[in-house]
mmCIF file of all heavy atoms in Angstrom:
data_model
loop_
_atom_site.group_PDB
_atom_site.id
_atom_site.type_symbol
_atom_site.label_atom_id
_atom_site.label_comp_id
_atom_site.label_asym_id
_atom_site.label_seq_id
_atom_site.Cartn_x
_atom_site.Cartn_y
_atom_site.Cartn_z
ATOM 1 N N THR A 27 -3.914 7.076 0.253
ATOM 2 C CA THR A 27 -4.531 7.902 1.293
ATOM 3 C C THR A 27 -5.236 9.115 0.674
ATOM 4 O O THR A 27 -5.511 10.075 1.335
ATOM 5 C CB THR A 27 -3.506 8.379 2.329
ATOM 6 O OG1 THR A 27 -2.541 9.158 1.651
ATOM 7 C CG2 THR A 27 -2.857 7.216 3.035
ATOM 8 N N PHE A 32 -13.237 9.880 -0.299
ATOM 9 C CA PHE A 32 -14.287 10.390 0.573
ATOM 10 C C PHE A 32 -15.282 11.259 -0.162
ATOM 11 O O PHE A 32 -16.285 11.640 0.385
ATOM 12 C CB PHE A 32 -13.680 11.167 1.747
ATOM 13 C CG PHE A 32 -13.070 10.246 2.742
ATOM 14 C CD1 PHE A 32 -11.705 10.197 2.908
ATOM 15 C CD2 PHE A 32 -13.873 9.401 3.486
ATOM 16 C CE1 PHE A 32 -11.155 9.325 3.821
ATOM 17 C CE2 PHE A 32 -13.328 8.524 4.398
ATOM 18 C CZ PHE A 32 -11.954 8.480 4.564
ATOM 19 N N ARG A 36 -23.338 12.138 -3.405
ATOM 20 C CA ARG A 36 -24.257 12.423 -2.304
ATOM 21 C C ARG A 36 -25.464 11.470 -2.283
ATOM 22 O O ARG A 36 -25.886 11.006 -1.237
ATOM 23 C CB ARG A 36 -24.742 13.872 -2.419
ATOM 24 C CG ARG A 36 -25.514 14.330 -1.209
ATOM 25 C CD ARG A 36 -25.862 15.793 -1.278
ATOM 26 N NE ARG A 36 -27.005 16.039 -0.405
ATOM 27 C CZ ARG A 36 -26.923 16.173 0.895
ATOM 28 N NH1 ARG A 36 -25.774 16.072 1.487
ATOM 29 N NH2 ARG A 36 -28.001 16.376 1.633
ATOM 30 N N GLN A 53 -28.104 -0.260 17.778
ATOM 31 C CA GLN A 53 -27.015 -0.776 18.607
ATOM 32 C C GLN A 53 -26.890 0.073 19.857
ATOM 33 O O GLN A 53 -27.252 1.233 19.873
ATOM 34 C CB GLN A 53 -25.704 -0.737 17.835
ATOM 35 C CG GLN A 53 -25.687 -1.711 16.666
ATOM 36 C CD GLN A 53 -24.410 -1.570 15.851
ATOM 37 O OE1 GLN A 53 -23.435 -1.044 16.336
ATOM 38 N NE2 GLN A 53 -24.459 -2.043 14.632
ATOM 39 N N GLY A 56 -25.083 3.491 19.784
ATOM 40 C CA GLY A 56 -24.278 3.618 18.586
ATOM 41 C C GLY A 56 -24.129 5.021 18.039
ATOM 42 O O GLY A 56 -23.037 5.434 17.746
ATOM 43 N N ARG A 63 -20.318 5.109 30.104
ATOM 44 C CA ARG A 63 -19.438 5.710 31.101
ATOM 45 C C ARG A 63 -18.850 4.617 31.972
ATOM 46 O O ARG A 63 -19.557 3.671 32.342
ATOM 47 C CB ARG A 63 -20.259 6.687 31.941
ATOM 48 C CG ARG A 63 -19.423 7.564 32.828
ATOM 49 C CD ARG A 63 -20.311 8.632 33.457
ATOM 50 N NE ARG A 63 -19.623 9.199 34.603
ATOM 51 C CZ ARG A 63 -20.152 10.050 35.445
ATOM 52 N NH1 ARG A 63 -21.410 10.438 35.269
ATOM 53 N NH2 ARG A 63 -19.462 10.520 36.458
ATOM 54 N N PRO A 92 -10.838 -11.311 -2.765
ATOM 55 C CA PRO A 92 -12.167 -10.797 -3.146
ATOM 56 C C PRO A 92 -13.308 -11.624 -2.558
ATOM 57 O O PRO A 92 -14.320 -11.064 -2.126
ATOM 58 C CB PRO A 92 -12.152 -10.879 -4.673
ATOM 59 C CG PRO A 92 -10.703 -10.757 -5.038
ATOM 60 C CD PRO A 92 -9.931 -11.413 -3.917
ATOM 61 N N ILE A 118 -12.543 12.399 29.599
ATOM 62 C CA ILE A 118 -11.979 11.815 30.817
ATOM 63 C C ILE A 118 -11.893 12.845 31.931
ATOM 64 O O ILE A 118 -11.220 13.870 31.784
ATOM 65 C CB ILE A 118 -10.560 11.265 30.508
ATOM 66 C CG1 ILE A 118 -10.618 10.294 29.311
ATOM 67 C CG2 ILE A 118 -9.963 10.592 31.738
ATOM 68 C CD1 ILE A 118 -9.244 9.927 28.751
ATOM 69 N N GLY A 121 -8.900 14.271 38.605
ATOM 70 C CA GLY A 121 -8.505 15.449 39.372
ATOM 71 C C GLY A 121 -9.335 16.639 38.929
ATOM 72 O O GLY A 121 -10.556 16.551 38.804
ATOM 73 N N GLU A 137 -20.670 13.817 6.273
ATOM 74 C CA GLU A 137 -21.814 14.410 6.994
ATOM 75 C C GLU A 137 -22.304 13.550 8.150
ATOM 76 O O GLU A 137 -23.011 14.039 9.025
ATOM 77 C CB GLU A 137 -22.974 14.623 6.017
ATOM 78 C CG GLU A 137 -22.706 15.717 5.011
ATOM 79 C CD GLU A 137 -23.817 15.795 3.968
ATOM 80 O OE1 GLU A 137 -24.998 15.621 4.346
ATOM 81 O OE2 GLU A 137 -23.502 16.021 2.795
ATOM 82 N N LYS A 141 -20.491 15.045 15.100
ATOM 83 C CA LYS A 141 -21.593 15.148 16.065
ATOM 84 C C LYS A 141 -21.114 15.356 17.505
ATOM 85 O O LYS A 141 -21.913 15.306 18.435
ATOM 86 C CB LYS A 141 -22.459 13.885 16.023
ATOM 87 C CG LYS A 141 -22.801 13.378 14.635
ATOM 88 C CD LYS A 141 -23.659 14.349 13.871
ATOM 89 C CE LYS A 141 -24.012 13.798 12.493
ATOM 90 N NZ LYS A 141 -24.530 14.826 11.595
ATOM 91 N N ASP A 234 6.063 10.722 27.822
ATOM 92 C CA ASP A 234 5.568 11.952 28.472
ATOM 93 C C ASP A 234 4.208 11.676 29.101
ATOM 94 O O ASP A 234 3.442 10.842 28.624
ATOM 95 C CB ASP A 234 5.407 13.080 27.442
ATOM 96 C CG ASP A 234 6.745 13.635 26.978
ATOM 97 O OD1 ASP A 234 7.774 13.306 27.602
ATOM 98 O OD2 ASP A 234 6.756 14.387 25.984
ATOM 99 N N MET A 240 -1.299 9.172 32.907
ATOM 100 C CA MET A 240 -1.734 9.121 31.493
ATOM 101 C C MET A 240 -0.506 9.367 30.620
ATOM 102 O O MET A 240 -0.046 10.492 30.472
ATOM 103 C CB MET A 240 -2.802 10.180 31.199
ATOM 104 C CG MET A 240 -3.309 10.136 29.754
ATOM 105 S SD MET A 240 -4.457 11.484 29.371
ATOM 106 C CE MET A 240 -5.917 10.961 30.261
ATOM 107 N N VAL A 242 2.051 8.902 27.181
ATOM 108 C CA VAL A 242 2.076 8.869 25.711
ATOM 109 C C VAL A 242 2.828 7.628 25.228
ATOM 110 O O VAL A 242 3.930 7.342 25.689
ATOM 111 C CB VAL A 242 2.773 10.143 25.169
ATOM 112 C CG1 VAL A 242 2.977 10.049 23.652
ATOM 113 C CG2 VAL A 242 1.983 11.389 25.537
ATOM 114 N N ASP A 244 4.310 5.771 21.704
ATOM 115 C CA ASP A 244 4.652 5.990 20.292
ATOM 116 C C ASP A 244 4.042 4.854 19.477
ATOM 117 O O ASP A 244 4.447 3.707 19.604
ATOM 118 C CB ASP A 244 6.183 6.007 20.172
ATOM 119 C CG ASP A 244 6.660 6.102 18.733
ATOM 120 O OD1 ASP A 244 5.832 5.992 17.804
ATOM 121 O OD2 ASP A 244 7.869 6.274 18.538
ATOM 122 N N GLY A 251 3.556 10.677 13.177
ATOM 123 C CA GLY A 251 3.671 11.049 14.587
ATOM 124 C C GLY A 251 2.512 10.535 15.422
ATOM 125 O O GLY A 251 2.193 11.118 16.468
ATOM 126 N N THR A 276 -7.313 0.319 13.648
ATOM 127 C CA THR A 276 -8.517 1.006 13.162
ATOM 128 C C THR A 276 -9.772 0.136 13.128
ATOM 129 O O THR A 276 -10.857 0.662 12.901
ATOM 130 C CB THR A 276 -8.278 1.600 11.757
ATOM 131 O OG1 THR A 276 -7.533 0.659 10.994
ATOM 132 C CG2 THR A 276 -7.525 2.906 11.838
ATOM 133 N N PHE A 281 -8.153 -6.377 12.248
ATOM 134 C CA PHE A 281 -6.731 -6.495 12.589
ATOM 135 C C PHE A 281 -6.463 -7.396 13.789
ATOM 136 O O PHE A 281 -5.308 -7.730 14.045
ATOM 137 C CB PHE A 281 -6.124 -5.105 12.776
ATOM 138 C CG PHE A 281 -6.313 -4.268 11.550
ATOM 139 C CD1 PHE A 281 -7.172 -3.192 11.552
ATOM 140 C CD2 PHE A 281 -5.678 -4.621 10.368
ATOM 141 C CE1 PHE A 281 -7.383 -2.443 10.403
ATOM 142 C CE2 PHE A 281 -5.870 -3.885 9.205
ATOM 143 C CZ PHE A 281 -6.731 -2.797 9.227
ATOM 144 N N PRO A 324 -19.096 1.029 22.398
ATOM 145 C CA PRO A 324 -18.197 2.128 22.779
ATOM 146 C C PRO A 324 -16.720 1.829 22.548
ATOM 147 O O PRO A 324 -15.864 2.611 22.960
ATOM 148 C CB PRO A 324 -18.497 2.298 24.268
ATOM 149 C CG PRO A 324 -18.821 0.910 24.728
ATOM 150 C CD PRO A 324 -19.527 0.251 23.579
ATOM 151 N N ARG A 331 -5.356 -14.080 22.659
ATOM 152 C CA ARG A 331 -4.684 -14.828 21.583
ATOM 153 C C ARG A 331 -5.635 -15.871 21.020
ATOM 154 O O ARG A 331 -6.415 -16.493 21.731
ATOM 155 C CB ARG A 331 -3.433 -15.503 22.131
ATOM 156 C CG ARG A 331 -2.325 -14.550 22.400
ATOM 157 C CD ARG A 331 -0.944 -15.179 22.254
ATOM 158 N NE ARG A 331 0.024 -14.096 22.257
ATOM 159 C CZ ARG A 331 0.334 -13.390 23.339
ATOM 160 N NH1 ARG A 331 -0.189 -13.711 24.506
ATOM 161 N NH2 ARG A 331 1.179 -12.380 23.269
#
Side-chain angles (χ1 to χ4, degrees):
T27 61
F32 286 111
R36 189 174 158 80
Q53 293 175 20
R63 191 172 162 187
I118 306 168
E137 290 174 39
K141 316 295 181 195
D234 287 349
M240 182 185 287
V242 173
D244 175 351
T276 41
F281 303 110
R331 287 209 168 72

